[in-house]
Amino acid sequence: MSLAERLRTALAVDHSPLLLPGDHFEFDPAVRGNPAAVLIAITDRTAPGVILTQRTETLRSHAGQVAFPGGRIDPEDDGPIGAALREANEEIALPPAAVQVVGTTDSYRTVTNYLVTPVIGVVPPDLQLTPSEAEVASVFEVPLDFLLDSANQREQVTEFLGRERRYYEILWQDRRIWGATAAMLVNLSRRLRWAA
């Protein structure tokens, strides 16, 4: 079974209440979030990896953070998949034709009220990716097994706007993957475990 087929099987498993819905659990589902999408690009190799970006320090929001390529869904996009592919092309020069789209997975609502749809795609290994100087400081790959290992997914607690906030972080080499990016990886790892 190919990597794409294994991922499709995992995405087909029924939703579980153990998935993380968002940065705050008290969100009213009737309140619409701003639609956004990210690309979880998984490299098709014996030991698959996930392509991530380090955002530049000059951005107004989330400066310096590790993220998936992605952003707001524009009216001219063909839904979340179109937005994720467009953003990945703009941010890291990942050609849309190089992505074998597997599908979308569970949306995640951020503290800034974006409703983010992760798009799962399989890409060839060792693509020549070029970060957009305005947005992306670097592009790197982290082993999928490392990211999906629950032992590496650490739950943290902090105070935010006078309230306790829980979030996940994953530390890999000198990188700190946390917040919505880590939460979406936690959700993906739970889906893959249920499908095993």
Side-chain angles (χ1 to χ4, degrees):
M1 184 183 294
S2 73
L3 175 60
E5 290 168 331
R6 292 197 322 267
L7 290 166
R8 268 192 204 95
T9 300
L11 296 184
V13 174
D14 286 341
H15 177 79
S16 165
L18 293 178
L19 291 174
L20 305 169
D23 288 341
H24 294 296
F25 296 110
E26 68 273 7
F27 275 129
D28 180 350
V31 176
R32 284 191 52 164
N34 299 310
V38 296
L39 179 65
I40 302 180
I42 301 173
T43 53
D44 192 4
R45 59 172 95 239
T46 306
V50 175
I51 296 172
L52 291 165
T53 68
Q54 182 95 37
R55 294 167 60 86
T56 62
E57 295 290 346
T58 56
L59 292 173
R60 284 182 296 168
S61 62
H62 309 293
Q65 291 184 6
V66 171
F68 299 114
R72 182 189 304 267
I73 299 175
D74 290 340
E76 60 272 15
D77 289 326
D78 185 15
I81 293 172
L85 295 177
R86 174 185 54 76
E87 288 280 352
N89 190 5
E90 291 173 2
E91 291 180 16
I92 61 173
L94 175 55
V99 182
Q100 181 184 359
V101 175
V102 173
T104 61
T105 188
D106 311 280
S107 293
Y108 187 86
R109 192 185 300 247
T110 69
V111 70
T112 51
N113 200 34
Y114 279 91
L115 189 60
V116 182
T117 300
V119 175
I120 312 296
V122 175
V123 298
D126 306 315
L127 286 171
Q128 293 299 313
L129 302 173
T130 306
S132 165
E133 288 184 19
E135 295 183 68
V136 179
S138 63
V139 182
F140 61 99
E141 186 176 334
V142 181
L144 180 64
D145 285 347
F146 182 89
L147 292 171
L148 301 185
D149 185 343
S150 60
N152 298 323
Q153 302 165 353
R154 300 182 181 139
E155 189 175 17
Q156 304 292 345
V157 180
T158 190
E159 188 174 306
F160 181 73
L161 299 176
R163 301 184 69 176
E164 182 181 277
R165 178 184 172 199
R166 294 181 177 274
Y167 64 92
Y168 280 87
E169 74 174 2
I170 301 168
L171 304 177
W172 183 76
Q173 296 182 353
D174 61 343
R175 312 278 187 174
R176 179 180 183 234
I177 305 158
W178 70 285
T181 301
M184 287 183 266
L185 287 166
V186 168
N187 281 347
L188 181 61
S189 71
R190 291 175 180 181
R191 278 205 169 274
L192 289 172
R193 278 200 300 273
W194 297 325

